Amino acid sequence: MKTLLKNVTVIPMTKKEYFFQGDILIDDKKIAYVGPSYQGDADITKDCSSFIALPSFVNAHTHLAMTLMRNYKDSQENLQAWLAEIFPIEDKLNEDDIYYGSLNGLAEMIKSGTTTFADMYFQQWKTIEAVKKAGVRGCISVTFFGDEAETDRRINYNYKRIVEEKNGDDLIICHSAPHAIYTCTKETYQKVAKFSKDNGLYINTHLSETQKEVDDCIKQTGLRPAEYLDSIGVFDTPTYVAHGVFFSDEELKILKRKNVSVVHNPSSNCKLASGICPISHYKKMGINVALGTDGASSNNNLSMIKEMRLAAMLSTVSTMKPASITPYEILEMATINGAKALGLADKIGTLEVGKDADIVLINKNIAEMTPLNNIFSALVFSMPDRAVDSVYCQGKQLLEDGKLLTIDEEDVIKKINKQWEDILRR
């Protein structure tokens, strides 16, 4: 099946602030043509003169099923106090909770232009089931807590269940996720690193999220968080770290040398009073900075559009320099940088021939986008979620005219409300 997106404003994300008016041909799962004017046949031709085409967004850090705890316990003192409220609820969650919590999150992400995400949560096989229904791409991690014995159990049971549920689906990628240095032992990190290297998996972990985490790490190990993980061999396996608010320049040199990506989560960092990640400095130090929403309990949404705007605003106010990071660089964080972090830059993140047809069409003819004086500023500073008109993942259309095609949103809302009521009774 060939679909031609005709007369669209294309932002391929291949070079700085480049865009043009032209055509995109989707042939089955791939982008077959990107250029000024396609000359050839197509099964479906769509007039896209009102739209901007971007690579669909990459949410590089989520806890997807935490939509269940959206708007719950929002006024805790800090991360540790918040976790003390959240962990007991998570202990009650069953497979149905995870499935509908995940499906709810996927509905929100598709409607705001995201088709690839990295997840760290529980009963991951149910998230995979939801991902398959939605038609998106999920980097689903085996999540690790505790000591070596618990790590062995999760490798032997959880990883096996994930592989079985994946069942060869190339839209499901398995990663490893030791939760954090304050919830996993040194031996767990080392075992997970070996397991990941042996199985070709990326490592996904929280790191340097709060000043307390840094202080505790120094007190217990004599090293800062990135120095500690490097010293025990974790970074010898491809790794991306969430938050990274308090890295020193020496740590940044380690991350650069080991090609570790930092996933910026501005909303969560603000809400939990963790701090402001100095992303413009990290970029100057040569770090690949991606963007994530974190979970909907600490955000409280999963919109990369909202996350882009806040990331830009925080960079400006924290440096007192409006040009500290440009709108185009923010778009890179939400697209190609996320793809690089997750090891997917050869497949997604830019609009190029041969890459997967992961495309979002943005309606530029709405009040919030008018006048379109600077297209990159408009996308970062003024674009609302409702501007997302159509979304494709591997050439399959998941959203059309702002309406979900693979998920029954009304049914999901009913189901998740029912699950939450049940959770509160447990």
Side-chain angles (χ1 to χ4, degrees):
M1 175 71 73
K2 294 182 180 179
T3 300
L4 179 62
L5 307 179
K6 192 77 176 167
N7 301 319
V8 67
T9 302
V10 181
I11 301 180
M13 299 304 300
T14 53
K15 58 183 177 180
K16 186 177 180 180
E17 299 191 359
Y18 172 61
F19 66 97
F20 64 91
Q21 197 75 19
D23 300 344
I24 301 173
L25 182 69
I26 301 170
D27 188 353
D28 193 21
K29 296 180 179 181
K30 301 290 184 179
I31 297 173
Y33 176 86
V34 184
S37 183
Y38 173 71
Q39 303 297 321
D41 64 321
D43 299 295
I44 299 170
T45 299
K46 181 172 182 174
D47 177 19
C48 294
S49 52
S50 297
F51 301 132
I52 300 165
L54 281 169
S56 52
F57 300 126
V58 179
N59 186 343
H61 183 64
T62 65
H63 309 288
L64 190 61
M66 287 188 84
T67 59
L68 288 158
M69 283 81 82
R70 196 196 304 271
N71 309 317
Y72 177 76
K73 300 295 182 181
D74 277 342
S75 300
Q76 303 308 303
E77 184 177 353
N78 51 38
L79 172 66
Q80 287 73 31
W82 177 76
L83 288 174
E85 297 285 351
I86 295 300
F87 282 161
I89 288 288
E90 290 181 327
D91 287 341
K92 299 179 181 182
L93 300 182
N94 62 34
E95 291 192 348
D96 285 343
D97 300 329
I98 299 298
Y99 176 73
Y100 287 110
S102 297
L103 208 55
N104 189 46
L106 292 169
E108 182 181 0
M109 287 203 296
I110 292 169
K111 290 177 71 176
S112 52
T114 295
T115 60
T116 296
F117 71 104
D119 202 50
M120 177 197 293
Y121 214 52
F122 311 111
Q123 301 176 80
Q124 300 91 350
W125 45 95
K126 298 304 292 186
T127 295
I128 292 174
E129 185 180 335
V131 168
K132 287 183 174 182
K133 179 173 178 57
V136 301
R137 179 184 287 98
C139 296
I140 310 298
S141 293
V142 188
T143 305
F144 296 96
F145 285 84
D147 60 15
E148 280 188 278
E150 180 62 16
T151 298
D152 286 335
R153 188 190 72 78
R154 292 181 184 226
I155 289 173
N156 294 330
Y157 182 76
N158 293 29
Y159 179 60
K160 180 181 178 182
R161 290 289 303 273
I162 288 171
V163 172
E164 288 173 351
E165 188 64 38
K166 169 182 166 64
N167 194 27
D169 190 329
D170 66 351
L171 284 175
I172 307 297
I173 302 99
C174 186
H175 290 176
S176 294
H179 176 261
I181 60 175
Y182 52 86
T183 53
C184 294
T185 64
K186 170 185 173 181
E187 292 75 20
T188 284
Y189 267 103
Q190 291 175 317
K191 184 177 281 287
V192 170
K194 183 180 186 308
F195 162 73
S196 301
K197 182 176 287 187
D198 290 347
N199 289 277
L201 312 182
Y202 274 53
I203 293 175
N204 164 19
T205 191
H206 298 98
L207 196 66
S208 197
E209 183 174 358
T210 65
Q211 186 62 53
K212 183 181 186 322
E213 177 189 332
V214 176
D215 293 343
D216 288 349
C217 187
I218 293 171
K219 184 177 180 180
Q220 293 164 12
T221 70
L223 299 169
R224 295 177 67 88
E227 294 170 333
Y228 167 63
L229 288 190
D230 185 49
S231 74
I232 61 175
V234 173
F235 295 155
D236 294 336
T237 299
T239 302
Y240 55 102
V241 299
H243 300 286
V245 180
F246 296 101
F247 290 133
S248 68
D249 281 0
E250 289 305 309
E251 288 178 286
L252 293 174
K253 290 175 183 176
I254 292 171
L255 301 183
K256 169 65 175 174
R257 186 170 69 250
K258 293 299 179 73
N259 199 30
V260 175
S261 294
V262 174
V263 183
H264 182 33
N265 299 268
S267 292
S268 176
N269 293 344
C270 285
K271 186 184 173 195
L272 296 175
S274 298
I276 300 174
C277 183
I279 56 174
S280 61
H281 179 63
Y282 288 8
K283 287 180 68 66
K284 286 177 184 176
M285 292 287 288
I287 305 300
N288 179 56
V289 180
L291 194 63
T293 61
D294 212 343
S297 181
S298 61
N299 186 306
N300 293 15
N301 66 74
L302 300 174
S303 168
M304 288 288 285
I305 292 172
K306 293 182 176 70
E307 217 66 22
M308 286 195 296
R309 186 175 194 273
L310 184 58
M313 295 288 194
L314 284 178
S315 184
T316 293
V317 76
S318 62
T319 61
M320 298 304 289
K321 296 177 181 178
S324 64
I325 193 160
T326 68
Y328 186 82
E329 289 172 321
I330 293 289
L331 283 170
E332 284 184 316
M333 290 167 56
T335 55
I336 184 59
N337 289 8
K340 289 176 181 177
L342 305 183
L344 297 171
D346 61 330
K347 296 180 181 295
I348 61 169
T350 59
L351 301 181
E352 296 182 84
V353 171
K355 284 199 171 184
D356 284 2
D358 287 20
I359 303 167
V360 57
L361 296 180
I362 306 296
N363 186 354
K364 60 185 177 181
N365 290 338
I366 59 174
E368 295 95 325
M369 300 285 283
T370 305
L372 199 66
N373 288 311
N374 182 295
I375 193 168
F376 302 106
S377 290
L379 290 168
V380 170
F381 290 117
S382 66
M383 176 170 60
D385 287 2
R386 77 179 188 94
V388 176
D389 178 271
S390 298
V391 173
Y392 298 83
C393 183
Q394 269 197 356
K396 180 180 180 180
Q397 191 164 8
L398 311 181
L399 189 80
E400 184 175 23
D401 297 328
K403 301 292 191 299
L404 292 164
L405 301 180
T406 57
I407 298 173
D408 184 337
E409 186 174 7
E410 185 177 336
D411 181 64
V412 170
I413 291 169
K414 290 178 181 176
K415 293 289 177 49
I416 196 169
N417 281 328
K418 181 180 178 182
Q419 293 303 130
W420 180 244
E421 289 170 5
D422 186 53
I423 291 167
L424 293 178
R425 286 193 294 265
R426 290 175 198 165

